[in-house]
Amino acid sequence: MPIQVFSEIGPLKRVLLHRPGAELEHLVPEALERLLFDDIPYLKGAQWEHDRFAAVLKENGVEVVYLSRLTAETLAQSPELRTNFVLDFLRESGPLALRYHNELFTYLMGMDDVHEMVLKTMGGVRFDELPHGNQDALTSLLHHRSDFALEPIPNLYFTRDPFASIGRGVALNRMYSVTRRRETLYGRYILEHHNDYAGQV
């Protein structure tokens, strides 16, 4: 289905959602302000509300598509796409992720399930999940093993923020906050490479 959005009040046909996941569970009090949250949401409650919302949409004839699934379908098309996505993602993930670039790259690329890898980029990667390498370096002693080498992206369920359908196109927005800049990458890869969208926008 090509993108055709010419009304703000017409019937919805297809909606892009993100189901709250590990990225909310991985919020910690000391990171709330940096990750643009005031409080830690209750994950099971957020998932219940989301599932009910998605069910209401489906009951009214709306096709619900999920950001993580579309991204995984896109990246599964070729090893080169997956590699490029991970490299771009790490580049946008801040100085700590760059410091542990090799370990994070090895960890993410070593995951057999592409969808699980996408969810991991969303939910964050703790130091104790990384393969050994720079783990013994002096700088690694500054971080607790349960700290995140790759921070979670808890704002992902606001899917209207990083990208929005307009007419026959999509606006990909550069997010103001460094915390949120990675969000646009998912949409960019889908729009450039997914079988249903590449060349349709």
Side-chain angles (χ1 to χ4, degrees), residues 151-199:
E151 286 196 317
I153 313 175
N155 294 283
L156 266 175
Y157 59 85
F158 299 115
T159 50
R160 70 186 183 277
D161 295 348
F163 19 79
S165 302
I166 304 169
R168 291 189 177 89
V170 173
L172 287 173
N173 305 317
R174 178 172 168 80
M175 307 302 284
Y176 175 76
S177 165
V178 173
T179 296
R180 300 198 65 188
R181 288 203 186 134
R182 294 171 291 171
E183 296 175 38
T184 304
L185 281 173
Y186 300 104
R188 194 186 97 203
Y189 270 78
I190 291 167
L191 293 170
E192 290 178 358
H193 304 288
H194 192 281
N195 289 330
D196 290 346
Y197 299 100

Side-chain angles (χ1 to χ4, degrees), residues 97-146:
L98 289 176
R99 172 70 183 86
Y100 291 91
H101 178 278
N102 292 342
E103 290 85 353
L104 286 165
F105 181 81
T106 300
Y107 175 73
L108 292 170
M109 292 300 293
M111 299 180 80
D112 293 329
D113 187 321
V114 180
H115 186 243
E116 287 302 313
M117 186 210 77
V118 170
L119 291 176
K120 186 54 78 171
T121 65
M122 296 173 169
V125 178
R126 295 187 318 270
F127 279 100
D128 61 6
E129 297 176 273
L130 291 178
H132 295 295
N134 282 339
Q135 293 276 15
D136 298 325
L138 183 61
T139 53
S140 69
L141 298 175
L142 300 172
H143 307 289
H144 191 273
R145 290 183 61 77
S146 63

Side-chain angles (χ1 to χ4, degrees), residues 6-34:
F6 297 99
S7 170
E8 293 185 3
I9 58 172
L12 288 170
K13 295 178 181 177
R14 180 183 287 179
V15 176
L16 176 69
L17 299 178
H18 172 68
R19 187 174 191 262
E23 67 279 354
L24 291 188
E25 201 167 48
H26 292 162
L27 279 170
V28 292
E30 58 269 20
L32 287 177
E33 185 176 347
R34 186 173 68 257

